[in-house]
Every structure is written in structure tokens, then in C-alpha cells.
Amino acid sequence: MASLTDETIHQLEQFLGDWLTDATVPGASIAVVRDGDIAYTGGFGSRELTENSPATPETLYGVASCTKSFTALSIQLLAERGKLRVDDPLSAHLDGIRIEGEDGPITLHDLLTHSSGLPSLGTSTVLLYRLTGVEEYGVPLGDREDFHRHLNGAADEIAGPRGERFMYCNSGYNLLGEVVEELSGTPFDEFVESEILQPLGMERSGMDPAALKEGDAMTPHALKDGGAEATPYPYRPVSLPAGGLIAPVTELTRYLRMQQNGGTFEGTELIAEESLAQAHAGHMERADSEYGYGWQRTDVVGRTLVGHGGSLGVSSSYMGFTEDGEWAIAIGANTTPSPTPPTVAKGVLAILAGEDPEEAVPFFARKSRFEKLTGEYESYRGITTATVEREAGALRLTSESALGEETLTLLPADPENPGDEFDIPTMAGAKKTATFEEHGDHVDLYYDRNRLHKQR
């Protein structure tokens, strides 16, 4: 087994413990691989709260959209066997689907890369909210036939030519799963089990929700009113290819090591290295990443991290590996907090690389910076008071005086690295600014005619 230094383990465990506390995560698990060997595993908190059963490295989690790379791999396995080509039109393999791109038939590649022009059609939202008791939309999605009707009714929603716009679409991956079934003659979940999970020795992983009823398995939790509330697991047969896998983080590392090792794990060759390179490549650009076939490429601490996250609203996950082959990380949690596991994984990688997440990872850098600036402020002798709060990637300033209340949005002048200067949008279009100044033991805020002093 590879090893981490005691100091690295201490920093890692402090970071993860703070995450669970700050984000109200009942339980989470992590596994870290270094140079092909397990270097660290850990369980934090409770996999369920009624009996306070601990989370362990072997706890089963619903890993949600981490399933997508398994779906993509299934398509590529069939391609290697001559059953299909990724540039085939969807219509060549599925009948009864009446959606088509503005510039011709939607291909399997388009669906794999979320570049078909088909936007999110809300199928996952409807089913997740329904099955966890959050909300009922009244949309008929009882079975695959309903799903096809829902999809065909959205033909006019195509948002542009194929390959032009990245639009994350769970429905596209569900269609890919149907292609796997059609061409293999095997139910999708059984194909994944026999062709991927079993060869990799992922013995406890699968898509049967019965696995969560006994043994070391998570209880899903929704975050409501500042607390975690147990919910049912949202099992959605029509959405298994988009997000149905259940797995422990330890077994996910077997899959990650196969990905890092060119398609081979412990002497078993699952797929050709060229196919994996195609899956890992950045086919579609996003704001801060590139998307391949069920994988996302992101630059973190000077390395390329190839991974994918997932959320069911009541559980969440991440799995990824550095392209240089040194690190692989898998995280599972029994709720969907903020920050989510994909962001936490970036902080973990920063620690493993010997860097401070608050300096190396934009989310944590912004969070740390905003924590210094948020709070209660007042002017000379308290004539004007104000509150500065975090609002998504910006700050919200609410001031009060005898003339009434005013609310302003403060946008970082440098969005990538928020500092002291913030822009204030106005209806008149005039540029206004707010400036924070730190003076050791206190912070001052200047905007318009005001100078305000942070009280707490």
C-alpha cells in the first residue's frame, strides 16, 4: 500500500471534518490512490443517524451521474465489438424517437458529449423530487413509454446545431442506455454488471436498490431547515444509465485505476487504450473545463484532473484521476451539500500536492475571502448600518438609515481572484464601486459617500 505522510493525513482529515461540519453532511467516505495503490481510505460521520451507524470506506452510496462514464464505456465496448460506431445516428439503433438536430440526425457522439442541442428536459428533477417527497410536478413519467412521449414532445426544444452548445442532458444518457440494451440484448444494468463490474472485481457495486436495505449502506438525507432529514432512495429504472449506480468508494478506485492504466486492471484488459483516450479527451468546452464521454477535464493545481461528479439531491459523489497517473480520488456522501464532492475533491488534490486549498482552489479561496468581508457594519456613531452577506459568487450589501433600506449586489472586479475591489451594477449603467480595506484588527467598507466599519 502506498502511504501519505502523517502531516498530509492530518490536513486531509481536518479539511474533510470541517466540510462535514460546515455543510451539514451526516456521513461521507473517501479513498485515495497514489501511483496505482491505495494510499488512504476513511469514513467520516454517520451513514445513518437513527442508530448513528458510522460511515466507512465500504459504505455503499448512490453515486448518481458518476454512472455516465459506465454508460459511455458500455457504448465503446459495443463499438469495439463492431456493433456500432459513435458517429452513428441515434435513429439507426432506436425506433420511435422523433427528435432530430437542426442540422441533421443526432448521433451517439452528440449524446455522449451533451452536444446534441437537446437541453435538460427535467426528467431527473421530476423523478428525484417525486421519489424523495420534495415536490410533485404532475408530469407523467411512470415508465419508458412515458419517457419517450416526454422526449418526443420536446422536439422543438432543440437549442441549435449539433456540437455548438454544451447542454447537460440526462435524457441523452438514458437513450444511450437503451442503445446498449438494444444491441446487446441484455438489460442495461446487467450489461454493466457482467461487462464492467465483475471483470474489475466490483462485487458490491450495482444498480439494485435492495443493496441499500442491509449491511454497510448509506441512508439518503435531504438538507432541510439547517438539518439532515432521512429520505427514501430515489430508484428510477428509466434513468439508470444517467445516474443509477450504487457503489463504495473503495470499488470505484478499481474502476479509476483501470482508467489510468489504459484499460487494464490487475491483468484484465477491459477496453483498448485508444478508446479510453477518446473518452477522456475534451470534446466540448465549458466555462472552466472540457467534457468527453462521461468525463470532465479540469485544471487543478497545475494538473489535469479527469473526473465526474454526481448528485441525487439526497446523496452525492465524485470520482476522478490525474492524467499524470499519480492520484485518483473517490468520494461519496449521503446528502448533497455545498460544496459538493467535486469541489471537495479539488481541495483534497491540493492537499495531496502540498498546497493550501484556500489559495489553490478558486471555491475555497473565494469562500475564505468572503468570510473575512461578510458581517455587520456601521458608519460613524451608528447613523447608518449595513449587512454584507455572501450570495452565490458575489456579495449582497443591505444598508439601513433613517431614509430606508437599500440592497446592492457587489461583484468581484476580478472574478477569478476576488480582492478588495467590487463593482456595483446600476440601472443607470453608471459604474460604481465598493472597496474593502483590511487594517489588521478590523475591516472598513467604502461605497458612494459611506465609510463603514465592520463590527462582527
Side-chain angles (χ1 to χ4, degrees):
M1 175 182 286
S3 61
L4 305 179
T5 66
D6 290 343
E7 179 59 26
T8 298
I9 291 173
H10 172 73
Q11 292 176 5
L12 181 63
E13 293 181 341
Q14 185 68 44
F15 175 74
L16 293 170
D18 289 344
W19 172 51
L20 266 71
T21 301
D22 296 342
T24 319
V25 181
S29 303
I30 185 171
V32 174
V33 172
R34 185 173 195 179
D35 295 327
D37 294 319
I38 296 288
Y40 177 85
T41 62
F44 296 76
S46 305
R47 65 178 187 263
E48 64 84 32
L49 295 174
T50 304
E51 297 182 4
N52 198 35
S53 303
T56 78
E58 302 302 328
T59 299
L60 289 172
Y61 294 93
V63 301
S65 287
C66 285
T67 310
K68 287 183 170 65
S69 70
F70 289 81
T71 303
L73 181 59
S74 299
I75 290 288
Q76 290 187 294
L77 286 171
L78 292 174
E80 288 192 352
R81 296 168 190 176
K83 299 285 189 178
L84 59 81
R85 296 186 306 173
V86 293
D87 58 359
D88 285 346
L90 174 67
S91 56
H93 303 296
L94 289 185
D95 296 327
I97 304 299
R98 295 186 175 87
I99 55 170
E100 186 168 301
E102 286 188 0
D103 55 345
I106 290 173
T107 69
L108 303 182
H109 171 88
D110 299 330
L111 298 179
L112 287 164
T113 57
H114 300 290
S115 63
S116 67
L118 191 67
S120 171
L121 299 179
T123 52
S124 288
T125 299
V126 168
L127 294 175
L128 290 175
Y129 281 25
R130 174 179 297 164
L131 295 170
T132 55
V134 173
E135 187 173 353
E136 175 53 58
Y137 288 96
V139 177
L141 282 172
D143 57 16
R144 183 173 290 177
E145 190 173 0
D146 279 335
F147 168 62
H148 287 177
R149 294 189 191 105
H150 184 76
L151 189 68
N152 288 332
D156 291 340
E157 295 295 315
I158 296 290
R162 297 176 300 112
E164 184 176 274
R165 189 193 303 261
F166 180 92
M167 301 184 77
Y168 194 88
C169 184
N170 286 305
S171 297
Y173 267 77
N174 291 331
L175 291 173
L176 291 168
E178 292 186 37
V179 171
V180 172
E181 290 191 353
E182 184 69 24
L183 297 186
S184 69
T186 305
F188 173 75
D189 56 341
E190 294 181 15
F191 182 90
V192 170
E193 181 175 355
S194 64
E195 301 295 331
I196 302 175
L197 303 180
Q198 288 180 359
L200 293 177
M202 299 175 68
E203 298 176 353
R204 296 180 65 228
S205 300
M207 300 188 191
D208 185 350
L212 297 174
K213 298 293 186 181
E214 58 186 41
D216 190 349
M218 71 159 196
T219 295
H221 290 81
L223 296 180
K224 297 181 178 179
D225 302 321
E229 179 179 309
T231 75
Y233 175 72
Y235 176 61
R236 304 147 297 140
V238 298
S239 293
L240 293 181
L245 184 67
I246 297 167
V249 294
T250 49
E251 291 191 0
L252 290 177
T253 66
R254 303 175 77 86
Y255 180 69
L256 291 171
R257 284 180 277 175
M258 179 274 293
Q259 296 284 337
Q260 281 184 306
N261 198 39
T264 299
F265 179 70
E266 293 185 348
T268 298
E269 182 178 339
L270 197 68
I271 192 166
E273 186 172 3
E274 294 78 9
S275 295
L276 285 187
Q278 184 182 33
H280 300 162
H283 296 287
M284 287 297 294
E285 290 189 8
R286 304 182 68 183
D288 61 350
S289 62
E290 296 176 323
Y291 201 90
Y293 291 177
W295 294 102
Q296 180 171 289
R297 299 171 62 85
T298 311
D299 290 333
V300 183
V301 295
R303 300 170 187 241
T304 298
L305 185 62
V306 181
H308 208 288
S311 169
L312 296 174
V314 293
S315 70
S316 54
S317 62
Y318 177 81
M319 62 177 186
F321 58 91
T322 57
E323 199 169 49
D324 61 17
E326 183 174 10
W327 300 106
I329 301 165
I331 300 174
N334 57 359
T335 191
T336 296
S338 179
T340 56
T343 301
V344 172
K346 294 177 182 178
V348 169
L349 181 58
I351 292 170
L352 296 174
E355 299 193 34
D356 183 349
E358 292 188 358
E359 297 178 359
V361 180
F363 176 92
F364 296 106
R366 185 180 297 257
K367 179 176 180 290
S368 175
R369 180 63 182 152
F370 283 3
E371 285 175 351
K372 294 178 181 178
L373 304 181
T374 54
E376 304 295 326
Y377 288 75
E378 66 177 41
S379 67
Y380 176 63
R381 293 185 173 174
I383 297 171
T384 298
T385 61
T387 302
V388 176
E389 301 171 284
R390 190 174 75 188
E391 186 175 73
L395 296 175
R396 183 176 69 247
L397 167 67
T398 304
S399 63
E400 295 184 12
S401 69
L403 297 177
E405 184 176 287
E406 179 182 36
T407 299
L408 302 171
T409 298
L410 309 185
L411 302 175
D414 182 353
E416 295 185 2
N417 185 28
D420 299 327
E421 299 292 329
F422 288 75
D423 295 329
I424 304 175
T426 67
M427 287 297 292
K431 182 178 180 180
K432 291 189 175 183
T433 61
T435 303
F436 292 89
E437 288 187 0
E438 296 183 61
H439 300 283
D441 60 343
H442 69 281
V443 177
D444 287 344
L445 167 61
Y446 298 85
Y447 76 97
D448 281 346
R449 67 186 68 185
N450 300 293
R451 178 183 182 181
L452 304 178
H453 311 285
K454 186 176 178 180
Q455 303 300 299
R456 59 182 184 277

